[in-house]
């Protein structure tokens, strides 16, 4: 036989404590109840031994449920704690659940909610105990596995370190070889040993022979005339392959420019990545080698300078017509910056005439460059290019006879800055708001006419003037931001409020202060704060009233309903049908009174709920609400017809309540229809979306339309259709808070159609 549960009940009302025990006994629980009313008795009980379950009221004469929960968490952390209370706000319920309570049960729903909540809490406690044991076993397994992983990790790290060092050694070897190859003062030619193709050539050999990389790389060795004495045919190359070594101590070679040089030629065959290659080392052993080396270095220095210049640069020569007039010029060379400015590559411009590239060019620049070439006098100009929509500066000079060179720089940003400075110089004089400029020492450099008029004593008082209060702190803040931040502040001068924007102007080396009169705005802000305080006081009073209604009215209703139910169960066989009917009427009316209280509170809470506006998928929301209501009405034959429900903007929780109330109405008033049909649709109207819910139910007389959305106003008797007359009032209040409208159309026995609107765009304000 199972051991009885020990249940500790903290409740100051004997009636409610007895009802709780009655519900648990009816559900078949075997338990020993311990009922305490005070903090002292409660703490004594949980100190002596932890119960299997704690059921606690929230509001006690000198104690409350939150303190009881905290004490339980300290003394009996594994004991489930359930709040059983007459009334609790949503915020307080969330708070008590967050602090560790397993559930909360309203005494109005004791019969429906207590037993499931207790069973769930006890099951979770048992699951928690089993899970703790499993977690401890898992932690032990984890510790064992972690030790093994650490050992294996150390082994892998050691292996990785060895591999890393090997890889680094290989990379270092490759880098050293590449550096030697690139920096070698000998010519190096790499051939594919199987095909005889040139696969690589070092810079020194290219410079020595006067060829480009593309001219040699990819060619067969026997196609290159310079090496005809080494491999005049494929047969000769075959001999080289067989011997794998060839050396010529003094081999004459002819360079691309026809010069004859003497070289030492050594070739070796070796493996690279499982592939045979031939490396040919070619050393210049003539005095002309030094001259060639000097020329190469000179060209390298020139090209580095040419390519690293920050300005665009090009060299050209003037082309004249038969009469000696400049008709065009030919581009000889350009640097990368000039390529970027022109938006054209070097290959597309070098060797081309200007008129090939820009046929409509004027003779203005031709005449300037002709004068530079003829006189040697440099020329400078700043100009705007309509083609590029940019400003440029250009300086031309004569580097060689018959040629001219041009330095070009984009000065658009500088020109824009100059224009901005010029604009800013005129702006303060015309501005109706006060503008002051000061140096970092606090000396006034400038006051615009508005500042002079509003503050005639400003120049005399300088930093002592209220407009410049806390000047040293302002300068300190500007320095801390590296002269970049804009400081915003408000100052009061003789009853007028001014907003100031203070920042450092780099180009003028001063601090500029923009002021604007915000007195009217401050007065409006003060009035708004007063109104907000009044509204907050009113809301607090309303919340207090709502709590009183909820707590004080529900307690006697619970007692009436609970004890009526106990009398019926215990004395039913002694009552005749009339007495039983009278007791049932008592219970039905107490339940109706509870529903009326709940609906009234729901109606009052609509106005206090904070709204979070977002786009709502109304199609998905309507289908979800319909499914929930249909599940609760499985015995009904119902049909939903949805056509194109557009999305709208609103608070999803509140709009869900609108759909719940309207769809519930359609289900209620189609009770006598088989099937009951509900149609939901929408359409766009200006910046609003109109939503339409139509049914084939009982309908109503439009002569009574003015009562439709009133609180507790009903167009049908409670004998015909259940309800309290609050649902549509809640719908109207929610829709109005969304700046929308709600209305209805109907005929008796021909169904009803309800309409409401939401915004189709994000809202910046809501109605409160």
């Amino acid at each position: 036989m199972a051991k009885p549960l020990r249940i500790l009940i903290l409740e100051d009302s004997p009636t409610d404590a007895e009802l709780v025990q009655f519900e648990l006994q009816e559900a078949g629980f075997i338990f020993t109840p311990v009922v305490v009313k005070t903090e002292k008795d409660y703490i004594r009980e949980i100190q002596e031994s932890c119960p299997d379950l704690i059921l606690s009221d929230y509001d006690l004469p000198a104690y409350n449920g939150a303190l009881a929960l905290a004490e339980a968490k300290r003394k009996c952390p594994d004991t489930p704690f359930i709040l059983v209370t007459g009334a609790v706000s949503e915020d307080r319920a969330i708070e008590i659940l967050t602090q560790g309570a397993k559930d909360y049960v309203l005494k109005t729903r004791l019969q429906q909610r207590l037993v499931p909540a207790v069973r769930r809490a006890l099951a979770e406690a048992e699951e928690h105990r089993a899970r703790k044991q499993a977690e401890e076993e898992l932690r032990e397994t984890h510790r064992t596995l972690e030790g093994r992983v650490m050992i294996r990790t150390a082994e892998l790290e050691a292996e990785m370190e060895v591999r890393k060092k090997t890889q680094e050694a290989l990379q270092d070897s490759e880098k050293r070889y590449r550096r030697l190859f690139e920096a070698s003062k000998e010519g190096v030619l790499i051939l594919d040993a199987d095909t005889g193709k040139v696969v690589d050539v070092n810079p020194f050999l290219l410079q020595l022979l006067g060829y480009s990389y593309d001219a040699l790389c990819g060619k067969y060795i026997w196609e290159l005339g310079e090496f005809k004495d080494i491999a005049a045919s494929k047969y000769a190359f075959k001999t080289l392959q067989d011997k794998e070594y060839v050396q010529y101590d003094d081999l004459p070679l002819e360079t691309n420019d026809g010069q004859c040089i003497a070289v030492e030629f050594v070739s070796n065959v070796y493996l690279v990545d499982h592939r045979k290659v031939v490396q040919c080392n070619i050393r210049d052993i003539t005095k002309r080698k030094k001259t060639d080396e000097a020329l190469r270095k000179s060209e390298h220095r020139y090209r580095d300078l040419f390519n690293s210049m920050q300005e665009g640069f090009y060299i050209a020569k003037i082309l004249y017509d038969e009469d000696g007039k400049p008709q065009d010029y030919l581009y000889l060379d350009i640097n990368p910056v000039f390529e970027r400015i022109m938006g054209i590559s070097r290959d597309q411009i070098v060797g081309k005439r200007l008129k090939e590239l820009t046929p409509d060019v004027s003779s203005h620049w031709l005449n300037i460059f002709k004068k530079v070439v003829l006189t040697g006098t440099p020329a400078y100009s700043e100009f705007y290019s309509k083609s590029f929509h940019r400003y440029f500066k250009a300086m031309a000079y004569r580097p060689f006879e018959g040629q001219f060179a041009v330095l070009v720089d984009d000065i658009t940003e500088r020109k824009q800055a100059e224009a901005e400075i010029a604009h800013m110089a005129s702006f303060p004089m015309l501005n109706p708001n006060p503008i002051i400029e000061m140096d970092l020492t606090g000396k006034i450099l400038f006051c615009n006419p508005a500042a002079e008029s509003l503050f005639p004593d400003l120049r005399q008082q300088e930093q002592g003037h209220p407009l410049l209060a806390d000047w040293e702190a302002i300068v300190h803040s500007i320095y801390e931001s590296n002269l970049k931040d804009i400081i915003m502040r408000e100052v009061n001068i003789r009853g007028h409020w001014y907003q100031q924007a203070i920042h450092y102007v780099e180009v003028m080396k001063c601090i500029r202060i923009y002021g604007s009169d915000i007195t009217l705005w401050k007065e409006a802000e003060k009035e708004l704060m007063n109104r907000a305080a009044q509204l907050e006081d009113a809301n607090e009073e309303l919340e207090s009233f709502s709590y009183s209604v909820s707590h004080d009215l529900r307690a006697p209703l619970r007692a009436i309903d609970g004890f009526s139910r106990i009398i019926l169960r215990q004395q039913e066989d002694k009552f005749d049908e009339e007495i039983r009917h009278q007791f049932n009427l008592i219970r039905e009316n107490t339940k109706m009174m509870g529903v009326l209280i709940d609906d009234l509170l729901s109606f009052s809470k609509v106005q206090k709920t904070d709204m979070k506006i977002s786009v709502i998928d109304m199609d998905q929301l309507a289908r979800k609400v319909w499914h929930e209501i249909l599940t609760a009405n499985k015995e009904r034959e119902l049909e939903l017809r949805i056509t194109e429900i557009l999305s709208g903007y609103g608070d999803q929780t509140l709009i869900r309540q609108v759909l719940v109330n309207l769809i519930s109405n359609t289900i209620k008033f189609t009770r006598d229809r088989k099937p009951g049909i509900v149609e939901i649709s929408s359409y766009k109207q200006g910046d609003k979306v109109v939503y339409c819910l139509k049914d084939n139910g009982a309908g109503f007389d439009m002569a009574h339309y003015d009562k439709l959305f009133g609180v507790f106003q009903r167009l049908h008797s409670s004998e015909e259709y259940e309800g309290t007359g609050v649902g549509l009032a809640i719908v109207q209040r929610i829709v109005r808070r969304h700046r929308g409208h709600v209305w209805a159309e109907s005929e008796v026995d021909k169904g009803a159609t309800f309409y409401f609107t939401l915004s189709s765009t994000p809202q910046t304000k809501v109605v409160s």
Side-chain angles (χ1 to χ4, degrees):
M1 182 176 178
K3 181 181 178 181
L5 297 171
R6 182 170 176 266
I7 299 179
L8 178 58
I9 302 172
L10 176 57
E11 174 60 70
D12 62 330
S13 169
T15 299
D16 287 344
E18 186 176 342
L19 288 173
V20 167
Q21 295 176 59
F22 176 79
E23 291 297 338
L24 295 178
Q25 290 166 353
E26 284 291 295
F29 282 101
I30 301 173
F31 64 95
T32 302
V34 179
V35 180
V36 294
K37 299 181 180 181
T38 66
E39 176 186 4
K40 179 180 177 181
D41 293 342
Y42 172 75
I43 292 176
R44 186 191 68 247
E45 288 295 330
I46 62 175
Q47 283 179 337
E48 288 179 357
S49 65
C50 290
D52 295 304
L53 176 67
I54 298 174
L55 302 176
S56 172
D57 194 2
Y58 191 88
D59 288 313
L60 298 164
Y63 203 42
N64 63 51
L67 296 175
L69 173 60
E71 191 66 31
K73 286 298 172 185
R74 283 193 295 272
K75 297 295 191 301
C76 304
D78 294 329
T79 298
F81 184 102
I82 297 177
L83 191 69
V84 181
T85 181
V88 62
S89 68
E90 185 176 337
D91 289 342
R92 188 177 293 174
I94 292 172
E95 177 186 357
I96 202 76
L97 290 175
T98 303
Q99 291 173 352
K102 289 298 181 181
D103 208 337
Y104 72 94
V105 176
L106 294 177
K107 293 177 180 178
T108 56
R109 295 182 55 79
L110 203 64
Q111 182 182 359
Q112 296 86 1
R113 291 270 292 115
L114 180 63
V115 171
V118 169
R119 283 187 173 137
R120 183 167 54 252
L122 292 173
E124 287 179 359
E126 179 61 32
E127 182 184 351
H128 177 69
R129 284 191 288 271
R131 185 167 61 250
K132 284 181 64 176
Q133 182 179 353
E135 286 175 351
E136 181 57 35
E137 294 174 355
L138 181 62
R139 278 194 293 271
E140 182 60 32
T141 303
H142 177 73
R143 284 192 289 269
T144 303
L145 181 60
E146 189 175 40
R148 295 177 181 174
V149 170
M150 289 176 64
I151 294 171
R152 182 55 183 157
T153 300
E155 294 173 352
L156 290 174
E157 287 176 349
E159 293 177 10
M160 291 297 293
E161 184 64 25
V162 173
R163 292 182 185 178
K164 180 181 177 182
K165 290 180 179 179
T166 304
Q167 184 66 25
E168 289 175 349
L170 290 172
Q171 291 175 351
D172 289 342
S173 176
E174 175 63 21
K175 288 178 181 178
R176 286 194 297 273
Y177 170 78
R178 198 67 204 174
R179 284 198 295 268
L180 288 171
F181 180 84
E182 296 290 345
S184 175
K185 300 304 180 184
E186 292 184 359
V188 182
L189 186 70
I190 307 297
L191 309 176
D192 187 313
D194 295 323
T195 64
K197 271 190 177 182
V198 177
V199 295
D200 206 356
V201 186
N202 78 336
F204 184 85
L205 183 58
L206 296 176
Q207 192 272 336
L208 180 65
L209 299 178
Y211 279 89
S212 68
Y213 183 89
D214 293 337
L216 296 181
C217 197
K219 300 293 192 332
Y220 292 97
I221 187 68
W222 49 80
E223 293 179 343
L224 305 174
E226 288 69 26
F227 299 97
K228 60 186 177 182
D229 292 330
I230 303 170
S233 66
K234 295 181 182 180
Y235 175 78
F237 182 70
K238 182 67 169 61
T239 303
L240 177 63
Q241 290 176 313
D242 294 339
K243 291 184 177 181
E244 295 189 346
Y245 177 81
V246 173
Q247 178 174 347
Y248 295 88
D249 294 329
D250 188 4
L251 181 70
L253 288 181
E254 185 176 297
T255 64
N256 190 38
D257 59 3
Q259 297 183 41
C260 292
I261 58 173
V263 300
E264 180 185 87
F265 187 98
V266 179
S267 65
N268 291 279
V269 178
Y270 60 94
L271 284 173
V272 176
D273 295 333
H274 309 292
R275 181 168 63 91
K276 281 188 175 183
V277 297
V278 179
Q279 178 173 311
C280 303
N281 293 77
I282 303 164
R283 179 182 299 163
D284 185 4
I285 57 174
T286 67
K287 294 180 180 179
R288 288 188 293 274
K289 176 185 176 183
K290 295 181 180 180
T291 304
D292 293 339
E293 182 70 11
L295 288 172
R296 189 189 69 81
K297 289 182 178 179
S298 176
E299 169 63 22
H300 184 70
R301 286 194 297 271
Y302 165 76
R303 185 53 59 181
D304 278 350
L305 175 63
F306 189 76
N307 290 332
S308 63
M309 294 174 64
Q310 298 300 308
E311 298 87 0
F313 183 76
Y314 68 90
I315 300 175
K317 68 176 181 179
I318 295 287
L319 302 177
Y320 301 94
D321 60 15
E322 294 177 355
D323 299 327
K325 294 181 180 180
Q327 62 169 353
D328 208 342
Y329 61 80
L330 183 72
Y331 286 99
L332 301 179
D333 204 357
I334 66 171
N335 74 343
V337 176
F338 190 72
E339 287 184 81
R340 192 161 58 248
I341 291 175
M342 296 294 290
I344 190 169
S345 70
R346 188 176 186 279
D347 295 337
Q348 293 173 300
I349 194 170
V350 172
K352 301 288 179 63
R353 292 180 295 106
L354 174 65
K355 290 186 178 179
E356 288 183 73
L357 302 171
T358 53
D360 299 329
V361 68
S362 69
S363 61
H364 172 72
W365 290 107
L366 290 173
N367 292 328
I368 291 176
F369 295 147
K370 175 188 176 183
K371 184 177 180 181
V372 170
V373 170
L374 294 178
T375 66
T377 303
Y380 178 85
S381 178
E382 294 185 2
F383 60 94
Y384 178 75
S385 170
K386 293 182 179 179
S387 302
F388 294 96
H389 304 290
R390 310 285 292 175
Y391 286 95
F392 296 98
K393 70 175 181 180
M395 186 181 74
Y397 67 95
R398 184 180 69 187
F400 308 107
E401 288 294 331
Q403 297 181 7
F404 65 92
V406 182
L407 282 164
V408 182
D409 196 12
D410 188 333
I411 58 171
T412 304
E413 291 185 2
R414 193 198 81 192
K415 287 289 188 181
Q416 289 173 343
E418 290 173 352
E420 179 65 18
I421 291 171
H423 172 71
M424 290 173 63
S426 64
F427 167 73
M429 302 302 294
L430 304 176
N431 199 306
N433 292 314
I435 300 175
I436 303 109
E437 291 175 356
M438 307 179 67
D439 64 18
L440 293 173
T441 67
K443 181 181 179 181
I444 295 177
L445 304 176
F446 169 79
C447 291
N448 74 337
E452 297 278 12
S453 174
L454 290 169
F455 312 110
D457 55 346
L458 180 60
R459 288 188 181 274
Q460 287 76 26
Q461 296 187 29
E462 289 194 335
Q463 296 181 36
H465 196 280
L467 195 69
L468 305 177
D470 301 322
W471 177 255
E472 292 182 358
I474 291 171
V475 174
H476 179 71
S477 297
I478 290 175
Y479 269 119
E480 279 192 337
S481 69
N482 294 322
L483 308 179
K484 293 180 180 178
D485 281 358
I486 296 178
I487 299 172
M488 303 296 298
R489 70 170 187 169
E490 296 173 1
V491 295
N492 188 303
I493 304 173
R494 294 187 288 273
H496 279 264
W497 281 96
Y498 289 88
Q499 186 180 65
Q500 293 180 330
I502 307 170
H503 69 103
Y504 183 74
V505 183
E506 175 65 31
V507 295
M508 302 180 71
K509 306 298 182 187
C510 72
I511 295 176
R512 179 173 290 168
I513 304 173
Y514 291 88
S516 56
D517 191 332
I518 58 169
T519 304
L520 293 178
W521 180 84
K522 294 292 285 186
E523 291 174 352
E525 183 183 48
K526 183 178 180 181
E527 177 63 22
L528 184 62
M529 291 175 65
N530 291 335
R531 294 288 181 86
Q534 294 171 5
L535 180 60
E536 185 175 352
D537 291 342
N539 283 336
E540 288 179 358
E541 292 176 3
L542 179 60
E543 184 173 355
S544 176
F545 171 74
S546 298
Y547 179 79
S548 297
V549 169
S550 172
H551 190 273
D552 297 342
L553 293 185
R554 282 174 171 163
L557 289 177
R558 284 197 310 273
I560 294 171
D561 180 65
F563 282 104
S564 297
R565 183 158 47 90
I566 291 173
I567 292 171
L568 277 175
R569 290 188 181 182
Q570 295 177 348
Q571 308 293 330
E572 186 175 13
D573 54 343
K574 300 177 182 179
F575 294 158
D576 58 24
E577 187 63 31
E578 179 63 23
I579 294 176
R580 284 197 295 271
H581 174 68
Q582 290 170 351
F583 267 101
N584 285 330
L585 284 177
I586 292 172
R587 295 196 63 208
E588 287 175 7
N589 280 277
T590 56
K591 289 179 181 178
M592 177 58 70
M593 187 63 184
V595 172
L596 285 171
I597 292 172
D598 290 340
D599 286 351
L600 183 60
L601 289 174
S602 297
F603 181 74
S604 67
K605 287 179 181 178
V606 167
Q607 204 69 4
K608 297 188 295 178
T609 304
D610 291 335
M611 292 176 54
K612 298 178 181 177
I613 303 300
S614 62
V615 64
I616 303 174
D617 186 340
M618 293 293 286
D619 188 278
Q620 182 182 16
L621 184 60
R623 293 179 189 274
K624 185 175 181 181
V625 170
W626 171 264
H627 178 73
E628 292 172 358
I629 295 175
L630 191 63
T631 303
N633 294 270
K634 292 181 179 179
E635 74 284 355
R636 293 284 308 280
E637 184 180 345
L638 298 168
E639 181 181 339
L640 174 66
R641 299 174 184 176
I642 291 183
T643 56
E644 192 181 2
I645 303 184
L646 303 173
S647 295
Y649 280 85
D651 181 280
Q652 180 139 340
T653 301
L654 292 178
I655 298 305
R656 183 185 184 281
Q657 187 63 52
V658 169
L659 291 175
V660 167
N661 289 9
L662 291 178
I663 294 176
S664 297
N665 259 18
T666 63
I667 300 299
K668 177 168 61 176
F669 290 106
T670 57
R671 186 175 60 196
D672 299 328
R673 302 292 191 267
K674 292 186 178 181
I677 299 173
V678 179
E679 300 178 26
I680 307 178
S681 60
S682 68
Y683 58 89
K684 191 83 176 288
Q685 189 176 73
D687 62 348
K688 299 286 186 181
V689 180
V690 180
Y691 298 95
C692 173
L693 288 87
K694 182 179 180 181
D695 63 54
N696 64 337
F700 60 87
D701 189 345
M702 290 293 286
H704 305 298
Y705 181 83
D706 57 333
K707 297 182 179 180
L708 187 63
F709 296 102
V711 181
F712 300 134
Q713 297 292 327
R714 293 174 50 82
L715 304 187
H716 300 83
S717 67
S718 57
E719 288 76 12
E720 292 178 292
Y721 297 101
E722 70 280 2
T724 60
V726 178
L728 290 180
I730 291 175
V731 168
Q732 184 183 61
R733 178 163 285 192
I734 291 174
V735 172
R736 285 182 175 177
R737 285 199 68 191
H738 285 77
R739 294 184 176 272
H741 301 283
V742 59
W743 68 96
E745 297 173 354
S746 180
E747 288 186 46
V748 177
D749 291 330
K750 292 186 179 180
T753 304
F754 283 82
Y755 303 87
F756 69 94
T757 66
L758 291 178
S759 177
S760 62
T761 58
Q763 295 174 298
T764 57
K765 295 182 179 179
V766 294
V767 176
S768 61

